[in-house]
Amino acid sequence: RPHRSDMCRGLALLLLPLALLAAPTQGEGAAAAAEEVKIEVLHLPEVCSPKSKKGDLLNAHYDGFLASDGSKFYCSRTQNEGHPKWFVLGVGQVIKGLDVAMMNMCPGEKRKVIIPPSLAYGQQGYAQGKIPANATLIFEIELYAVRKGPRSVEAFNQIDKDSDKKLSQLEISQYLNEEFARDGKKRHPSVHGEILADIFKKNDHDGDGFISAKEYNVYQHDEL
């Protein structure tokens, strides 16, 4: 029987910043529309502000369980020396159900959420994370911080050092260096290059070697 930390390691990329993981497969849209995430608030702080919204950068710990037998398949506290996870809300960096479950949530709040298969890993499941097909998932979430996300207008202007309204590989590379230095986590040197390449693969739609304001700005802000 694998040690609990080994089972958690299977989903080490679940919240990796800038990574896109499983979304419902084609043909599941109708099912998703008919199902919803069930949210139970376990703790609500007296001062509940700011509340999370699409595009915010969230810092949270959470555990994931299979509803079928209660077994734990993910535990963030056993990874990265127990640091909470950072991710951008509402843009597909996590499964759809978590994007829904963590909206309008404030720092210090704790929730228990039930996510149907259509808003998780659907009919295909996720073998690497020991999640079977058509699995309903339960997550216990504790949110620590809500910040403006990297896709905000402010963030774009911060990365765009020469103010030419497009982001070069050098500018984004410098931004990654600053972010990595800020969170202080140890990473293999190859991670920087892999994330940089992934960013351009997923955002440089016209292949010109730059990420324009339009390509970067998934939230359709008028300011850019």
Side-chain angles (χ1 to χ4, degrees):
R1 183 175 179 177
H3 188 272
R4 188 176 66 172
S5 62
D6 293 331
M7 295 186 67
C8 294
R9 202 170 292 128
L11 284 187
L13 295 181
L14 188 67
L15 286 180
L16 179 65
L18 307 170
L20 296 178
L21 279 187
T25 58
Q26 291 183 352
E28 291 180 344
E35 297 182 287
E36 61 183 10
V37 176
K38 296 179 181 178
I39 300 173
E40 177 185 355
V41 177
L42 302 178
H43 174 72
L44 191 67
E46 290 186 13
V47 178
C48 188
S49 178
K51 289 194 173 184
S52 60
K53 63 184 183 303
K54 180 180 178 181
D56 283 344
L57 186 64
L58 304 188
N59 185 233
H61 260 318
Y62 62 71
D63 294 332
F65 306 84
L66 296 179
S68 58
D69 60 7
S71 62
K72 182 182 288 188
F73 63 83
Y74 181 79
C75 39
S76 62
R77 289 175 176 83
T78 66
Q79 299 179 19
N80 296 323
E81 299 180 347
H83 295 297
K85 310 302 179 187
W86 287 100
F87 71 100
V88 180
L89 182 65
V91 299
Q93 288 186 359
V94 291
I95 57 174
K96 178 65 175 177
L98 282 175
D99 272 339
V100 172
M102 297 185 71
M103 290 286 182
N104 298 310
M105 195 172 181
C106 59
E109 185 173 346
K110 297 179 183 180
R111 290 181 178 181
K112 178 180 179 180
V113 302
I114 302 175
I115 299 175
S118 60
L119 298 177
Y121 294 95
Q123 297 177 2
Q124 75 273 24
Y126 185 44
Q128 182 183 349
K130 302 185 185 302
I131 297 175
N134 299 311
T136 296
L137 307 182
I138 298 173
F139 286 94
E140 294 181 357
I141 307 164
E142 182 173 3
L143 183 61
Y144 294 100
V146 177
R147 297 182 181 173
K148 285 190 175 182
R151 293 284 176 140
S152 66
V153 176
E154 294 87 352
F156 183 93
N157 291 333
Q158 177 186 349
I159 300 170
D160 184 20
K161 302 290 188 182
D162 59 8
S163 302
D164 64 354
K165 296 300 179 184
K166 59 184 180 181
L167 307 181
S168 67
Q169 290 203 24
L170 177 59
E171 286 173 331
I172 293 185
S173 179
Q174 291 174 338
Y175 168 75
L176 289 175
N177 284 333
E178 293 168 1
E179 289 297 296
F180 290 170
R182 184 170 66 85
D183 70 23
K185 296 178 184 177
K186 294 180 181 179
R187 294 178 174 84
H188 190 276
S190 65
V191 171
H192 182 281
E194 291 171 359
I195 292 179
L196 182 63
D198 190 56
I199 290 171
F200 274 84
K201 179 180 178 181
K202 292 174 178 173
N203 294 276
D204 182 18
H205 302 303
D206 61 10
D208 67 350
F210 294 90
I211 297 175
S212 67
K214 183 177 181 180
E215 289 172 327
Y216 173 94
N217 189 20
V218 296
Y219 310 136
Q220 305 301 318
H221 289 300
D222 295 331
E223 295 95 321
L224 293 174

